[in-house]
Amino acid sequence: MTHVIEAPRAEDAESLGPVQLRAWLQTYPNEEAGIDEKWIREHRGSSAAAEGIAQWRDFIAAVEERPDLLFCRVVRSSAEIVGFLCGRRDDVVTLGPMYLLNEAQGEGVGGRMMSEFLAWAGSAPMRLWVTEYNERAVRFYERYGFRATGEREIWRGRLPNVRMIRNSTPRDGLG
């Protein structure tokens, strides 16, 4: 299947929240952590509602206005969005959110998105949060030079996340 990675358009706001919710439902259920479909819908369901769509619309507009500070790419399979990667530049570059639906995984799409993000970020130090038990994502980020710092957070009292960082890299062999 062909996947196209491109900047989001304003009309994509209506799809991004539902894709995010689907990705959560595919990725995060964990009996041990007490995270089930009901909990996910309670804490992330708004991403697929009018409130979430409005937030995505505002973010897409901000990305268009400040591409030096904000990054976002969507993955399309035919006309349907099946994933996205966003980030921002402050004192360091923060990666996230990054989601790819199950049906689009294992085909190199995540790596292609990450390559675009790393090219945008340049040599700046980077950070992200990843769910501790999402071992596939942890291994993915490790392949790109991220390492766990030991810092943890429990999102909304249940979802265990760990901080990963990628130190600054010399540009063009200098530094």
Side-chain angles (χ1 to χ4, degrees):
M1 177 143 313
T2 302
H3 294 99
V4 176
I5 300 171
E6 61 188 9
R9 302 185 290 259
E11 61 269 19
D12 293 334
E14 292 184 27
S15 298
L16 289 169
V19 167
Q20 186 173 17
L21 179 59
R22 277 182 61 200
W24 271 67
L25 290 167
Q26 290 176 353
T27 306
Y28 298 122
N30 183 288
E31 192 174 317
E32 189 176 306
I35 298 173
D36 58 11
E37 180 178 348
K38 181 179 184 283
W39 188 89
I40 291 168
R41 288 188 182 281
E42 182 179 312
H43 292 281
R44 294 306 300 172
S46 65
S47 66
E51 170 189 343
I53 292 167
Q55 289 173 346
W56 276 111
R57 191 170 286 115
D58 291 346
F59 183 74
I60 290 168
V63 168
E64 290 173 358
E65 290 173 21
R66 295 301 310 260
D68 55 325
L69 298 179
L70 298 169
F71 178 91
C72 193
R73 294 292 182 273
V74 297
V75 179
R76 295 182 200 283
S77 175
S78 299
E80 181 185 5
I81 294 177
V82 295
F84 58 88
L85 187 159
C86 301
R88 68 178 54 249
R89 185 185 314 273
D90 293 307
D91 53 330
V92 300
V93 171
T94 301
L95 186 159
M98 179 179 184
Y99 293 106
L100 195 56
L101 296 177
N102 288 346
E103 60 265 28
Q105 292 183 15
E107 300 179 29
V109 179
R112 289 173 39 213
M113 277 197 302
M114 181 62 84
S115 293
E116 287 196 29
F117 179 77
L118 294 175
W120 173 81
S123 61
M126 293 174 232
R127 66 183 174 200
L128 59 86
W129 287 104
V130 63
T131 298
E132 190 171 56
Y133 58 78
N134 188 351
E135 295 171 10
R136 185 174 185 173
V138 170
R139 286 191 309 272
F140 174 84
Y141 294 129
E142 286 173 343
R143 284 196 304 271
Y144 289 92
F146 287 87
R147 63 175 178 76
T149 65
E151 184 181 356
R152 296 182 81 233
E153 73 163 15
I154 305 296
W155 189 78
R156 304 277 169 104
R158 291 195 190 168
L159 190 71
N161 294 316
V162 294
R163 169 74 77 194
M164 295 184 82
I165 61 167
R166 183 175 192 257
N167 292 323
S168 59
T169 56
R171 210 176 259 223
D172 300 322
L174 302 173

